[in-house]
Structures are given as C-alpha cells and as structure tokens.
Amino acid sequence: MIGELLPGSVVTVEARLDEGDTAALEAGLHPEEAALVARAVTKRRREFAVVRSCARRAMVTLGVPPQPVLSGDRGAPRWPRGLAGSMTHCDGYCAAALVRATDLASLGIDAEPHGPLPEGVGPAVTLPAERDRLRRLAAARPEIHWDRLLFSAKESVYKTWFPLTGKWLDFSEADIELWADAGTGGDAGTGGDPGPGGDVGTAAHGGLRARLLVPGPTVAGRRVPAFEGRWTVQQGLVATAIALPYDQGGSAQSGPHAGSGTP
C-alpha cells in the first residue's frame, strides 16, 4: 500500500498485525531493542517488534546486513550508515521504507485508521486555511476522512523534516494542501459510501504539498521551501508518503492542477 506512493528506489516492507505470540515476535529483537520496550504494554511491544522486522527485511533487500534499529533524538530511528528510512504503525498495520542515502535526501511515511480524528484534535493540529480547504474537500468527497488524512500528512512531513534538521516542527509550521486524483475511490462524481472498516470501496489516491512556514532544510546547497508527496485511502487505512529528492526541480507536482500522475 505505502509502496505504491514511493519511487522505485525505495524498498517498502509491510505487515498486518494479528494476535500472534508476542513472546515469539520479541525473540526477533536485538537485546538493545528489547530494552527500549521492556516496560511497555503488550500492544506496544508487538508493534515495535513487527515494524523492526519489516525494517530488517528491507535492509536485506538493499544488501545491508540486518541491524538493530534504535531510537535517537526525539525517538527518531537511527538507521545504518548509508541508509535513510521511515517507519509507521497503527492498529493492525506496520510498514518500514528504506532507501540508499545517495538516492534520496529524506523520506517519511505514515499510516492511520481511516476514521475521523477524535473530537478536539483537528483544531489543535490544523491552520485556518487548512480547515477551509478540508471543508471544501469534504463537500466534494465526503467518503474520505480528510481530517485524518491531513493529520497523517503532517506526520510524514515531520518524519521527512527531522533527519535533515534535528529540530522540532510544530503542526502549525507547515501548511498542507491535499487533492484527489480524478476518478479514484467510490463514485468520483458523488463520493461513494465507505466500505467495511472505513474503506472507500475502491482505493482513493491523490497528492499533497506541504509549504514550510519556517526556513526549510538545505539540500544539495539549496533551501527547500516545500515537500511534496502522495496519499492513498484503502483497506480501512489512510497512508501518506514523502520522498525528498536531491534535485528539487523538474518532475515533482506543485499542486492539484499539475496533473494526477504519480510524481
């Protein structure tokens, strides 16, 4: 699912979580990793173990010996030298995306349940201009929970930002525009009803652009003013992904009128 949103140079490994034997899953952790979740609840330990298993499988695909994935500043994963990556997990789903650091400057992925945000969260994480756009999107495509999708996009933005800057990025410091590809998900004209588990029936896809409201990171000697990415809604989940190239010109989409193909 998330792999659909990223360029071919990125290796994505996904896993569905079940009520499997947590002890067996934890047996695959390195001792340094196990120590990080020794006092965590069972659900947290299971997610921690499965997403790191995904990351190690991606390392092997890239020809890198599987290694522990420990936490650095602000909990960000510390990747083996020469790799960049991102991980995500939510109820029932985990994914890791890794790439050679020579191929991308940074990347960020996030997955969330496809449902509305808890009451009170939306105003705390969105800007007035974003809320105006969300209302228009919801009127046109009510089968999509745009507030949850925007939240996921903000998570992907932060995961892309932090490895480049080592600094916090507040929800209010990126203004995100979302748009849907034409003819995807439900009835493109009327907005079909969600399927079981919050699904939209057929997958919906689109793009996103995050305009940074603080000085952006410097990549290849140039200041980056915005991140661009892709999103999907399917299988009861929303997922977002950003792949930041070293070359900021040319192929990236710049908005909903730039076309609907994958960047």
Side-chain angles (χ1 to χ4, degrees):
M1 181 175 69
I2 283 181
E4 302 170 9
L5 309 178
L6 292 162
S9 58
V10 180
V11 174
T12 305
V13 178
E14 301 166 282
R16 288 283 179 171
L17 291 168
D18 55 27
E19 297 302 318
D21 186 344
T22 300
L25 293 171
E26 290 181 41
L29 291 174
H30 290 252
E32 313 97 294
E33 294 173 323
L36 296 176
V37 289
R39 297 184 179 181
V41 299
T42 299
K43 179 178 181 292
R44 166 64 176 153
R45 297 201 313 273
R46 183 184 297 118
E47 291 172 344
F48 184 95
V50 173
V51 78
R52 278 159 175 75
S53 173
C54 291
R56 277 189 273 278
R57 288 161 58 193
M59 290 179 201
V60 170
T61 300
L62 288 168
V64 175
Q67 300 170 42
V69 182
L70 303 179
S71 298
D73 293 342
R74 296 189 180 272
R78 287 163 32 196
W79 299 111
R81 184 179 299 275
L83 297 183
S86 183
M87 300 188 295
T88 187
H89 55 79
C90 63
D91 288 346
Y93 177 81
C94 289
L98 273 70
V99 68
R100 296 191 183 280
T102 51
D103 291 333
L104 288 175
S106 188
L107 76 159
I109 64 171
D110 186 72
E112 304 281 338
H114 184 222
L117 286 174
E119 189 169 353
V121 173
V125 301
T126 57
L127 298 166
E130 291 173 327
R131 293 194 287 274
D132 288 342
R133 291 194 291 269
L134 289 181
R135 283 190 286 270
R136 293 195 295 271
L137 289 165
R141 297 292 298 274
E143 78 279 13
I144 295 173
H145 292 289
W146 294 99
D147 58 343
R148 181 74 72 164
L149 184 51
L150 181 66
F151 178 84
S152 177
K154 296 223 173 195
E155 291 289 304
S156 287
V157 166
Y158 178 75
K159 292 176 183 181
T160 305
W161 159 277
F162 187 80
L164 297 171
T165 65
K167 298 178 181 179
W168 176 256
L169 184 72
D170 194 77
F171 286 114
S172 64
E173 293 178 327
D175 184 1
I176 298 179
E177 182 179 7
L178 303 168
W179 61 91
D181 293 346
T184 66
D187 182 329
T190 62
D193 292 333
D199 202 355
V200 294
T202 57
H205 308 281
L208 66 93
R209 187 174 193 272
R211 182 170 61 91
L212 299 171
L213 304 181
V214 294
T218 299
V219 173
R222 298 175 63 184
R223 184 76 72 178
V224 179
F227 297 158
E228 297 182 3
R230 299 286 297 168
W231 61 262
T232 187
V233 178
Q234 55 180 291
Q235 303 173 41
L237 299 171
V238 304
T240 56
I242 294 169
L244 185 67
Y246 288 101
D247 179 5
Q248 295 299 301
S251 62
Q253 290 179 318
S254 60
H257 306 297
S260 59
T262 301

